[in-house]
Amino acid sequence: MKNIFKAKNRIIANLLYPILAVVVLFFLWWLVAFVEKNPLILPTPIEVFGSLGELMSASDYWISTGYTLLRTVICFAISFVLAFLLAALSGLFKPLSKILNVLASCLRSAPTMAIILIVMLWLDENSSAVVIGFLIAFPILYQSIYTSITMVDKDLIEMTKIFKLRKREVVLGLYIPQIAPSVFDVSASTLSLTLKVVIASEVMAYVRNSIGLEMQHAKSSFEIATLLAWTVFAIIISFLLEGIVKGLKKLWEVRR
């Protein structure tokens, strides 16, 4: 009975605190907008969500959103697969891990804006958004997956050798269950970050059919409510993407 009561309290807390945070945020937003009384500087939440409703009724809105999401998913998928493969190889070959760790550290330390500007010099606008997203997502995923692999319990690895388990059994029965939780967690945050980077690169490169270009147009025409509407929508998408990955983690844990 106590466990059920604790579970209910945990669910209520997980729902209540985020809702409370959103309410406080919107109240502060409304308060500042009310005091400022200048929609060209800060529109009210009502004006912004009104603009969002108008945007959602236009076909261009969904085309831009679809292409941005497609670019995000493509560069994240490529980053994840390559990071996973290279992290696994680095766990087997130490010299490779030393090379890739330095490369990943350099990419993580490089300013995001510098990466965007350099890639834009080499590639067209559509390709640059995907490549920039990859260059940001890959080092984060690689280092996290590699660290998870190296942190697998050494005693358990020795036991697999003693019982002479096949490599497939070791990978599926030991490594995957051990590293999966951290991989899910870093994937959720990295996918959200990838979306932000892709949108930023779309803004800089004037990528057609993109959320970034729509933001650039709104900014150029001083449509602040529209710009904030796109921003709010990008935040919502970011939360949804994180939620999808966290949902997959929960599903994996239940099936386990």
Side-chain angles (χ1 to χ4, degrees):
M1 195 69 180
K2 289 183 178 180
N3 291 334
I4 296 174
F5 184 73
K6 288 181 180 179
K8 287 183 178 179
N9 286 341
R10 194 181 306 116
I11 293 172
I12 293 172
N14 289 337
L15 291 174
L16 181 62
Y17 289 126
I19 293 173
L20 183 61
V22 171
V23 170
V24 172
L25 176 62
F26 276 99
F27 174 75
L28 292 174
W29 177 3
W30 175 85
L31 184 63
V32 174
F34 178 78
V35 172
E36 192 66 37
K37 292 182 179 178
N38 189 345
L40 290 178
I41 295 177
L42 183 62
T44 64
I46 295 175
E47 292 172 324
V48 171
F49 279 96
S51 295
L52 181 59
E54 293 176 3
L55 288 174
M56 293 180 71
S57 63
S59 59
D60 292 346
Y61 173 88
W62 296 107
I63 293 173
S64 298
T65 300
Y67 274 105
T68 295
L69 283 174
L70 180 61
R71 295 184 189 100
T72 300
V73 171
I74 287 174
C75 64
F76 177 81
I78 295 172
S79 301
F80 183 87
V81 172
L82 192 59
F84 196 93
L85 291 175
L86 292 177
L89 290 174
S90 296
L92 296 173
F93 306 106
K94 293 302 178 183
L96 179 62
S97 70
K98 293 180 179 179
I99 295 172
L100 291 177
N101 284 336
V102 172
L103 177 61
S105 297
C106 290
L107 288 174
R108 290 188 66 177
S109 301
T112 302
M113 191 55 64
I115 293 175
I116 292 174
L117 293 174
I118 291 171
V119 173
M120 282 172 55
L121 294 174
W122 298 339
L123 302 172
D124 62 82
E125 65 272 13
N126 288 305
S127 301
S128 63
V130 175
V131 173
I132 291 165
F134 167 80
L135 292 175
I136 298 300
F138 169 76
I140 298 173
L141 291 170
Y142 167 78
Q143 289 193 329
S144 178
I145 296 172
Y146 174 74
T147 301
S148 299
I149 291 174
T150 57
M151 293 295 290
V152 173
D153 194 326
K154 299 297 187 294
D155 292 335
L156 293 177
I157 296 174
E158 289 300 321
M159 287 180 64
T160 62
K161 294 178 180 178
I162 292 173
F163 287 102
K164 297 180 180 179
L165 298 179
R166 292 177 295 179
K167 290 183 179 180
R168 182 175 179 274
E169 294 173 331
V170 174
V171 171
L172 296 179
L174 175 60
Y175 279 96
I176 297 298
Q178 289 279 316
I179 71 174
S182 61
V183 171
F184 275 117
D185 290 338
V186 74
S187 295
S189 59
T190 304
L191 183 55
S192 176
L193 174 63
T194 303
L195 174 66
K196 299 172 189 175
V197 172
V198 167
I199 292 175
S201 62
E202 289 172 346
V203 172
M204 294 294 296
Y206 287 84
V207 180
R208 289 175 297 175
N209 297 321
S210 68
I211 291 177
L213 185 61
E214 296 296 338
M215 287 182 170
Q216 184 65 262
H217 286 162
K219 178 254 183 185
S220 300
S221 56
F222 294 98
E223 296 175 357
I224 307 304
T226 303
L227 176 59
L228 288 176
W230 277 111
T231 303
V232 168
F233 182 65
I235 292 171
I236 293 172
I237 294 176
S238 180
F239 277 120
L240 288 175
L241 291 176
E242 286 192 29
I244 290 171
V245 177
K246 290 178 180 179
L248 291 174
K249 179 184 178 182
K250 289 289 185 183
L251 180 61
W252 181 84
E253 289 174 344
V254 169
R255 294 192 66 179
R256 287 286 300 172

